[in-house]
Amino acid sequence: MSAGGGEVILRTENLGKRFGGFTALKGVSAEFRAGALTAIIGPNGAGKSTYFNILSGAFPPSEGRVLFEGRDITGLPQHRFAHMGIAKSFQITNVFPELSALENVRIALQARVSRYDIWRPRARMTGLVEQAGEILATVGLWARRDRAASALAHGEQRALEIGMALAAQPRLLLLDEPTAGMSPEETRAMMELILRLARERTVILVEHKMKLVMGISDRVLVLHHGELLAEGTPDEIRRDETVRRVYLGQREH
Amino acid sequence: MAHATTAEPAAPRAALSGALERHRVLAAAAFLAVFPLVAPFEALAVNILIHGLYALGFNLMFGYLGLLSFGHAALFGGGAYLCGIAIVHFGAPWWVAIPAGIAGAVAIAAIVGALAVRTRGIYFSMVTLALAQCFYYIFYQASDWTGGENGLRGVDLKAIALGPATLDFLDPRTRYYVVAAFVVLALWLLSRILASPFGAVIEAVRENEARARACGYDVTRTRLLAFVLSGAFCGLAGALNALHLSIVPIESMAIETSGLAVMMCLLGGMGTFFGPFVGAAVFLLLESIVSVWTVHWQLVVGAVFVLCVLFFPRGIWGSILHWAAGGGR
Ligand SMILES: Nc1ncnc2c1ncn2[C@@H]1O[C@H](COP(=O)(O)OP(=O)(O)O)[C@@H](O)[C@H]1O
Ligand SMILES: [Mg+2]
């Protein structure tokens, strides 16, 4: 666990999102510090993914602002987020299914160096393949590098997604329920991986299983009905009466 | 493509298809060089090459990027008209007229693309179709330049001056080799594009648009660039067709011409390198054979097309590749 006392890397101001008449997110103001691992928790439907998607640029908020390293990035197109150093993994596994694990990471790496070059043979860009191999080793998939992504086990696909996010060399890594649908062993391995990654960069982790994140997070944000219910260290959150009430009767995993 | 995983390959078959894959441009050049010596049907072969080239350009959007355009006639026809106009109205030599055709098609592709690439699925098809109809109308109306419904006549190219040598474009065999040379050049360029970083981006966007975007790729710009490249190939095909026919019929721009690319591409195998040429060959061969004994040849060709789509959804060349890689049918 890192100290989490760095500068503010990401800030949201009065963030809100409406889908038609339905308010999925309302007035969320929060700060995320560089180097910290912050968990966003809350029951299903609390608005975690909505918040996450705004932070990662999937869609703009209905109101409020997002500031990354002091810059207003509200409403920028999604692909610009990766250029700026924000990478994400999706809640629902999202890879290039017919490409090999290695090519999945290689193409993610390529986005940083070449996006419109129609001339240079990419067979000569061997550095990317080497880097992709290193990233695959980091996320524990080196042995599976030639497998089509669709042929990987669920847990491996999730790890591959994180590998692809790492390829962007992000200063801010956003993970939406990275352990969703995983077996207990896969979950343990994923949590170890996340801890390891969090040592070198800022991580924001969305999770609805409270127990899972309490041991590893520096800070915890609790969302409920689209609003920020509580914020603090894991200990503070554990002792918080309102949070307890929200999670009371919730099945814990 | 590059790292795609297939079933366990059957060794000899796979070795052969692997070698063909690596040297595909060379193999195509060798095949086209000896073809007229084996089968002296130059006129038909030229027609196949031109339409194969057109379907190749279309395939870049359809097969490789995954967007079904119903407006490629505007690119083929645009290339034909611009090349024809350069010759008929400006007396331009071939080395100006052909690039003019390509440039015209690229310009049309940029316009159609800029408006269409933000949409996807059926909307993309409809927007491209509608815009192609607009261009059809513009070229139809501008009859002072285009000859209107009579087509643009007098696109005559008798000889091609190449330094000290002069090639007789009226000689069927020479004409065949001139067209074949352009086709090999186009194959080489396409091969290069597919093997470039951009080639990988095209594949990624087709596979998973949202993920490509999250990786940092601008999906809209990627599609626009691919559409413009597609336009360059189709424009070259159109220009060659104008020179081959000595006329640009207004049908070059009509919706049937857009449909032709779809048919040939599906018949041969979308997203395969040689599929468009195989599709063009089968289609035009069928047409020329069946139309000899019945005027209802379109019925027969249509039936073959439907059967092919039903039983060989990978297309003819696609099925051969799949079989060679060790898969079933
Ligand atoms: N695209 C959408 N359109 C309409 N409603 C949505 C959309 N996305 C999410 N919602 C609604 O917003 C609420 C919050 O959803 P979400 O952010 O996915 O919650 P969580 O990730 O915390 O489970 C839910 O009630 C959900 O039904
Ligand atoms: Mg969610």
Side-chain angles (χ1 to χ4, degrees):
Chain A
M1 210 185 294
S2 52
E7 298 182 357
V8 173
I9 186 170
L10 184 78
R11 181 204 305 272
T12 70
E13 293 176 355
N14 198 30
L15 220 53
K17 181 73 186 179
R18 282 182 303 276
F19 294 109
F22 180 76
T23 304
L25 206 65
K26 202 169 111 194
V28 178
S29 298
E31 286 182 350
F32 300 87
R33 297 199 170 272
L37 198 175
T38 310
I40 299 172
I41 63 170
N44 273 325
K48 302 184 299 295
S49 291
T50 304
Y51 190 49
F52 178 93
N53 285 331
I54 294 170
L55 295 186
S56 66
F59 48 67
S62 309
E63 62 204 19
R65 297 199 303 165
V66 183
L67 296 142
F68 178 64
E69 295 177 337
R71 257 181 78 195
D72 188 346
I73 59 167
T74 319
L76 283 185
Q78 164 95 77
H79 64 267
R80 293 281 303 279
F81 278 66
H83 303 176
M84 276 181 315
I86 304 176
K88 68 163 171 179
S89 81
F90 294 72
Q91 176 171 359
I92 297 160
T93 309
N94 210 334
V95 293
F96 300 115
E98 285 183 24
L99 305 183
S100 70
L102 190 74
E103 177 66 7
N104 264 275
V105 179
R106 201 205 61 81
I107 191 82
L109 280 166
Q110 189 196 294
R112 286 179 37 241
V113 291
S114 177
R115 295 189 289 273
Y116 305 105
D117 182 348
I118 61 166
W119 199 241
R120 203 161 30 131
R122 62 179 186 271
R124 294 220 191 108
M125 303 164 78
T126 49
L128 290 184
V129 179
E130 273 167 35
Q131 270 175 280
E134 284 164 20
I135 289 176
L136 279 184
T138 306
V139 298
L141 286 175
W142 170 246
R144 311 286 252 169
R145 60 192 176 277
D146 291 328
R147 281 285 184 107
S150 58
L152 297 176
H154 175 70
E156 292 174 327
Q157 292 192 9
R158 310 281 346 207
L160 177 60
E161 254 211 77
I162 292 183
M164 295 171 76
L166 287 181
Q169 291 195 350
R171 291 189 295 285
L172 175 60
L173 181 62
L174 303 167
L175 307 171
D176 194 359
E177 300 206 20
T179 63
M182 281 191 173
S183 68
E185 302 91 87
E186 286 177 329
T187 302
R188 212 169 304 123
M190 178 58 79
M191 282 304 172
E192 269 166 33
L193 174 62
I194 292 170
L195 255 184
R196 211 151 21 94
L197 299 178
R199 276 188 214 120
E200 288 160 26
R201 55 185 71 68
T202 316
V203 176
I204 299 178
L205 171 68
V206 166
E207 186 58 72
H208 83 277
K209 294 173 236 169
M210 188 165 166
K211 266 190 193 150
L212 213 53
V213 294
M214 283 310 195
I216 63 167
S217 309
D218 301 307
R219 286 195 80 72
V220 178
L221 266 66
V222 188
L223 284 181
H224 187 53
H225 291 320
E227 291 184 76
L228 190 60
L229 186 72
E231 187 194 348
T233 64
D235 276 337
E236 290 166 354
I237 295 299
R238 226 179 264 126
R239 284 194 298 267
D240 193 303
E241 270 306 314
T242 36
V243 175
R244 284 180 154 187
R245 218 174 307 128
V246 166
Y247 270 92
L248 205 72
Q250 275 263 182
R251 196 161 50 89
E252 268 293 330
H253 302 265
Chain B
M1 274 197 46
H3 299 283
T5 316
T6 41
E8 278 299 302
R13 270 193 274 158
L16 183 66
S17 69
L20 188 64
E21 182 73 23
R22 270 189 304 282
H23 306 291
R24 52 196 183 183
V25 177
L26 218 58
F31 176 80
L32 293 179
V34 297
F35 180 75
L37 309 177
V38 184
F41 311 115
E42 283 92 351
L44 182 61
V46 165
N47 207 14
I48 290 173
L49 286 181
I50 288 171
H51 283 87
L53 181 57
Y54 169 45
L56 169 152
F58 171 79
N59 193 30
L60 186 59
M61 283 312 282
F62 183 47
Y64 289 102
L65 195 59
L67 283 177
L68 174 53
S69 157
F70 269 129
H72 262 53
L75 311 179
F76 182 77
Y81 271 116
L82 267 292
C83 173
I85 287 170
I87 287 177
V88 174
H89 295 292
F90 298 96
W94 68 275
W95 50 270
V96 172
I98 292 178
I102 296 172
V106 161
I108 294 175
I111 295 168
V112 175
L115 294 166
V117 291
R118 277 168 208 287
T119 63
R120 54 190 56 78
I122 188 73
Y123 300 101
F124 180 81
S125 306
M126 290 302 116
V127 171
T128 48
L129 172 66
L131 290 171
Q133 290 305 100
C134 292
F135 277 101
Y136 175 92
Y137 187 73
I138 291 169
F139 278 76
Y140 184 87
Q141 288 297 315
S143 53
D144 287 350
W145 288 94
T146 62
E149 67 180 323
N150 298 323
L152 179 62
R153 292 167 186 281
V155 188
D156 293 325
L157 179 68
K158 295 189 177 62
I160 289 180
L162 266 183
T166 303
L167 303 176
D168 178 9
F169 197 66
L170 298 179
D171 174 54
R173 185 158 295 182
T174 310
R175 174 180 298 204
Y176 168 85
Y177 278 116
V178 169
V179 171
F182 277 109
V183 165
V184 169
L185 177 71
L187 282 172
W188 177 69
L189 287 172
L190 178 70
S191 191
R192 201 99 203 187
I193 292 169
L194 294 178
S196 73
F198 186 68
V201 179
I202 287 180
E203 207 174 355
V205 167
R206 182 199 61 216
E207 282 266 300
N208 189 338
E209 193 187 316
R211 182 75 246 189
R213 210 173 264 131
C215 284
Y217 293 108
D218 185 338
V219 169
T220 308
R221 266 179 79 174
T222 300
R223 287 185 170 150
L224 182 58
L225 179 53
F227 203 80
V228 166
L229 290 171
S230 173
F233 287 113
C234 296
L236 173 61
L240 292 174
N241 202 44
L243 299 176
H244 174 52
L245 300 179
S246 302
I247 175 179
V248 183
I250 184 69
E251 288 77 25
S252 307
M253 277 225 165
I255 182 164
E256 289 80 6
T257 304
S258 292
L260 207 55
V262 183
M263 294 247 277
M264 288 174 171
C265 209
L266 279 175
L267 210 52
M270 62 184 274
T272 64
F273 193 70
F274 292 121
F277 285 90
V278 173
V282 170
F283 186 95
L284 295 172
L285 271 172
L286 267 177
E287 177 189 316
S288 67
I289 293 168
V290 180
S291 61
V292 170
W293 55 267
T294 167
V295 290
H296 307 299
W297 63 271
Q298 283 185 324
L299 261 180
V300 179
V301 175
V304 169
F305 175 72
V306 169
L307 289 176
C308 197
V309 169
L310 285 178
F311 295 104
F312 297 97
R314 293 170 208 275
I316 297 165
W317 185 248
S319 298
I320 292 172
L321 285 184
H322 184 65
W323 170 80
R329 181 175 74 196

